[in-house]
Amino acid sequence: MSRQLGCLVMAGALMMASAPAYSGDAEAGLALARSWCAQCHVVEASQDRASDVAPPFAQIANDPTKSARGIAVWLADPHPPMPNLNLTQQEIDDLVAYIATLKTD
Ligand code: HEC
C-alpha cells in the first residue's frame, strides 16, 4: 500500500472511531423523510396516505424487533421492494434520529 493511501485509511478509521454513535438531527431527518420517503411511507401523523406496501414510520419506530441500529443497517443497504437511495451516513443518522421521535412508549 502506498504511503499516501495508508494515511487516508488511517484518517478514515480515526474519523469513524471518534463519531458519536447516534449524532443524527431529527429535524433534518424529517425534512429528508418528507422529500425522499413519503411517496411510499407515511412519515408523520399529518400525512394521510402513501403506498400500501411500505410500513408507516410510526409503526417501524414502535416495533420492538426494529432497533435504531437495525434501521440504520437497513438504510445503508435496503432490499427490494425498497429502493437503495444511496444515503450518506449523516442522512442515515438524521433519519434514524427522526424515526426515534415517533416512538410512543
Ligand atoms: C419506492 C418506495 C419506498 C421508498 C421511496 C422508501 N421506502 Fe422504505 N420501504 C419500502 C417498502 C416496500 C418496505 C417494506 C420492505 C419489506 O417489508 O420487505 C420498506 C421498508 C422500510 C423500513 C423497514 C425495514 C425493516 O427492517 O423491515 C425502513 C426503516 C424504511 N423502509 C425506511 C425508509 C426511509 C428512511 C426512506 C427514505 C429515505 C424510505 N424507506 C424510502 C418502500 C420504500
Side-chain angles (χ1 to χ4, degrees):
M1 192 181 340
S2 79
R3 218 188 156 115
Q4 216 176 1
L5 187 59
C7 280
L8 275 176
V9 170
M10 274 297 292
L14 281 175
M15 265 157 57
M16 287 207 298
S18 61
Y22 294 110
S23 55
D25 173 344
E27 264 179 54
L30 173 58
L32 290 170
R34 281 177 176 154
S35 49
W36 290 346
C37 322
Q39 74 192 90
C40 298
H41 294 271
V42 170
V43 306
E44 58 192 321
S46 60
Q47 184 183 336
D48 53 9
R49 54 170 303 149
S51 75
D52 295 335
V53 284
F57 281 6
Q59 182 187 317
I60 294 169
N62 290 290
D63 183 336
T65 67
K66 297 196 201 315
S67 63
R69 194 172 149 64
I71 294 172
V73 168
W74 165 264
L75 290 177
D77 185 19
H79 359 124
M82 183 164 144
N84 190 337
L85 298 160
N86 294 312
L87 300 168
T88 66
Q89 189 59 53
Q90 185 62 54
E91 288 162 347
I92 290 174
D93 288 349
D94 293 348
L95 286 160
V96 168
Y98 169 62
I99 292 172
T101 66
L102 301 174
K103 220 173 148 98
T104 50
D105 52 20

